[in-house]
Amino acid sequence: MVSNIVGPFTGGNEAEWARYLERLLKTERDRLMSILNSTEEGVAIIGPDYKIRFMNPSMVREFGEGTGLECHKHLHGLDEPCPAICRLPEVVKGATERWEYNFPDGATHEVISSPFADTDQTPCILATLRNVTKQKQIQLELIRLNQLRSEVLAQITRDLDQTSQEVVRLGEEKRRFVRFLSAVVHDVRAPLAVAQSCIWTILEGFTGEVNDEQRDLLQRGSRRLDDLMVLIDDLLDIPRIETGQLVHEMEGISLNEVVRRAIDGLDNVAKEKGIKLEARLPPVSPRVHGSSRRLQQVVTNLVNNAITYTAKGQVLVSVSEDNGNVKVEVMDSGIGIPTEDLPRLFEDFFRASNVQAKGTGLGLSISKRIVEAHGGRIWAESPCPETGKGSKFTFTLPKRVASLANESDTGGVGKPG
């Protein structure tokens, strides 16, 4: 910092005026040197002979002390001056130049050279160098990242287009398969129904007397035909649901009534096994927008499975409301479901590894399709969280705003086994 400040000239002879000017010039130079020494940018004063007359501390830290040396040798490692680099001739003549230069060590500096008269009035250049290597690296990295982002976005766009085309193709193939399945299954059902009718005609004795051995064989064949008819009906359900036909069956319905009808058809089955079948329904029935027949099919399937796989104990069906949805739960005290089978339970034709009873393996997958077609979801837990045994199946449906205000149901209705 400059400590002495030269005051105004108060008069005197020519020699005093000269000394005054000399002190003033020295003061200004000291002030300039103080500023240059404290600046963060590297600063150098270079004479017309390419020799470095001054380097501030920042310049020295960057390039090493080189005062008195030729700039092309010290800064650039060249044997001869290179006006194209330092632009000294143009700047000495009065021009100010600004450019970026990559030094041999790989650093990039922004250079500003301005004309400067040294204390001996020699025309020099005042070169200011600012290290912009990191900024350049960041800029290059940003450019690279932008290029990479563009490439990734382009690839994602191509992948999405390809996926979209694949989805369209698979959707069309699925529709063709569903139409084919529906036609084939429908054509198969008709002759089976005729065969079943013929067997029952024989069993009823309309074609003559049937002995015990013949009756046994005919009854076995009839049961096989019944199994095939159930499978066909299940297979027919899949294309009907997949093609959205359930939409035409949907209306505002009482869920209590759906559950009641499903349970009413299974009372005797539960009684024969000594199982207590119970329903807990809310006093005011929740209303849902759906197909009464299809939702009854879901409840019937879940309750029937619960009874089938429960040797003793009870099966409980409950209806409640949960976060704007209506929830139906079917809990049993049966054999449960192996943990490893739970993720695949709703797949077509899948049967749990501990199941011995006959079945098509389509009941739960069709139930899942029906529930999802109503905008709901279905899942299974085993063992049942509330009892620690058996299984619990739950499905939820969106609740309608309106409810059956005049519903006469009572909660906790028991269906004794």
Side-chain angles (χ1 to χ4, degrees):
M1 179 179 292
V2 179
S3 57
N4 57 330
I5 299 176
V6 179
F9 184 68
T10 57
N13 56 33
E14 186 174 342
E16 291 175 342
W17 170 250
R19 286 194 296 272
Y20 171 79
L21 290 178
E22 184 179 346
R23 290 197 306 274
L24 182 62
L25 183 61
K26 183 179 182 304
T27 299
E28 291 301 321
R29 177 179 172 79
D30 291 343
R31 182 182 292 113
L32 176 61
M33 290 300 103
S34 176
I35 294 172
L36 295 180
N37 283 325
S38 62
T39 186
E40 293 182 0
E41 286 80 12
V43 179
I45 298 174
I46 302 172
D49 55 358
Y50 295 97
K51 288 187 177 181
I52 301 173
R53 295 189 169 200
F54 167 80
M55 296 178 72
N56 74 341
S58 296
M59 190 75 174
V60 173
R61 283 194 300 271
E62 191 79 28
F63 295 96
E65 178 59 62
T67 304
L69 302 178
E70 293 175 321
C71 63
H72 50 274
K73 291 183 178 179
H74 184 67
L75 300 179
H76 307 295
L78 301 175
D79 294 329
E80 300 291 336
C82 185
I85 295 179
C86 67
R87 307 185 188 183
L88 186 145
E90 292 85 354
V91 177
V92 168
K93 292 177 182 178
T96 297
E97 298 284 343
R98 181 172 186 163
W99 71 96
E100 287 183 358
Y101 182 75
N102 295 319
F103 285 84
D105 63 356
T108 301
H109 285 72
E110 181 183 61
V111 184
I112 302 176
S113 288
S114 304
F116 178 81
D118 206 351
T119 53
D120 59 359
Q121 299 304 307
T122 300
C124 301
I125 65 171
L126 180 67
T128 303
L129 287 78
R130 185 166 66 94
N131 194 324
V132 294
T133 305
K134 290 184 179 179
Q135 291 90 321
K136 285 297 176 182
Q137 290 174 344
I138 292 173
Q139 289 175 4
L140 290 174
E141 186 65 18
L142 287 175
I143 292 172
R144 191 187 69 81
L145 289 175
N146 282 330
Q147 291 174 342
L148 181 60
R149 185 171 71 96
S150 299
E151 293 172 2
V152 170
L153 288 176
Q155 183 62 46
I156 291 174
T157 301
R158 289 192 295 270
D159 291 344
L160 287 176
D161 289 342
Q162 184 176 353
T163 302
S164 178
Q165 294 173 6
E166 187 68 14
V167 168
V168 172
R169 184 185 66 80
L170 291 175
E172 183 56 35
E173 288 184 359
K174 180 180 179 180
R175 285 188 289 271
R176 285 199 297 267
F177 172 74
V178 167
R179 289 194 295 267
F180 169 77
L181 178 64
S182 181
V184 170
V185 172
H186 185 272
D187 290 345
V188 170
R189 194 182 194 284
L192 287 177
V194 173
Q196 180 73 294
S197 178
C198 292
I199 289 176
W200 278 106
T201 299
I202 298 172
L203 283 171
E204 292 296 324
F206 293 111
T207 60
E209 188 175 350
V210 179
N211 61 39
D212 291 342
E213 184 177 353
Q214 291 170 334
R215 182 176 298 279
D216 181 63
L217 290 172
L218 288 171
Q219 287 176 342
R220 290 184 186 181
S222 178
R223 286 194 293 270
R224 297 297 179 271
L225 286 175
D226 284 341
D227 292 341
L228 281 174
M229 294 291 281
V230 171
L231 174 60
I232 288 172
D233 287 339
D234 286 344
L235 290 174
L236 279 173
D237 276 341
I238 294 176
R240 289 169 184 159
I241 298 169
E242 294 284 352
T243 54
Q245 294 184 28
L246 263 64
V247 175
H248 306 296
E249 304 177 18
M250 292 185 182
E251 58 184 353
I253 58 174
S254 161
L255 198 57
N256 279 11
E257 186 64 23
V258 168
V259 172
R260 187 184 299 108
R261 288 177 180 173
I263 291 177
D264 286 344
L266 295 169
D267 278 350
N268 292 334
V269 179
K271 286 180 180 178
E272 289 177 1
K273 295 190 66 175
I275 296 172
K276 181 181 179 182
L277 176 59
E278 181 181 357
R280 294 178 182 173
L281 308 177
V284 178
S285 175
R287 285 182 67 86
V288 297
H289 183 71
S291 166
S292 177
R293 181 172 67 92
R294 292 297 184 179
L295 291 177
Q296 184 178 333
Q297 179 181 350
V298 173
V299 177
T300 298
N301 181 59
L302 297 180
V303 175
N304 185 62
N305 284 349
I307 294 172
T308 300
Y309 303 121
T310 300
K312 62 179 180 179
Q314 71 169 6
V315 173
L316 173 64
V317 186
S318 65
V319 175
S320 59
E321 297 182 19
D322 180 42
N323 295 327
N325 292 321
V326 179
K327 181 168 64 175
V328 179
E329 297 175 315
V330 178
M331 295 180 281
D332 64 61
S333 56
I335 61 175
I337 304 164
T339 303
E340 63 273 15
D341 291 342
L342 283 171
R344 300 188 57 196
L345 203 57
F346 294 93
E347 293 180 6
D348 291 338
F349 303 106
F350 179 79
R351 292 171 62 75
S353 56
N354 62 338
V355 168
Q356 300 296 328
K358 295 180 180 179
T360 65
L362 287 172
L364 289 178
S365 68
I366 291 174
S367 296
K368 182 175 185 289
R369 285 181 170 92
I370 293 173
V371 170
E372 290 180 349
H374 284 76
R377 68 187 190 95
I378 185 170
W379 67 94
E381 299 168 274
S382 184
C384 176
E386 288 82 355
T387 63
K389 57 185 177 180
S391 306
K392 180 169 80 168
F393 283 78
T394 306
F395 70 88
T396 59
L397 301 170
K399 178 188 174 185
R400 282 173 58 97
V401 175
S403 63
L404 293 181
N406 57 353
E407 185 76 36
S408 59
D409 294 345
T410 57
V413 178
K415 300 280 183 181

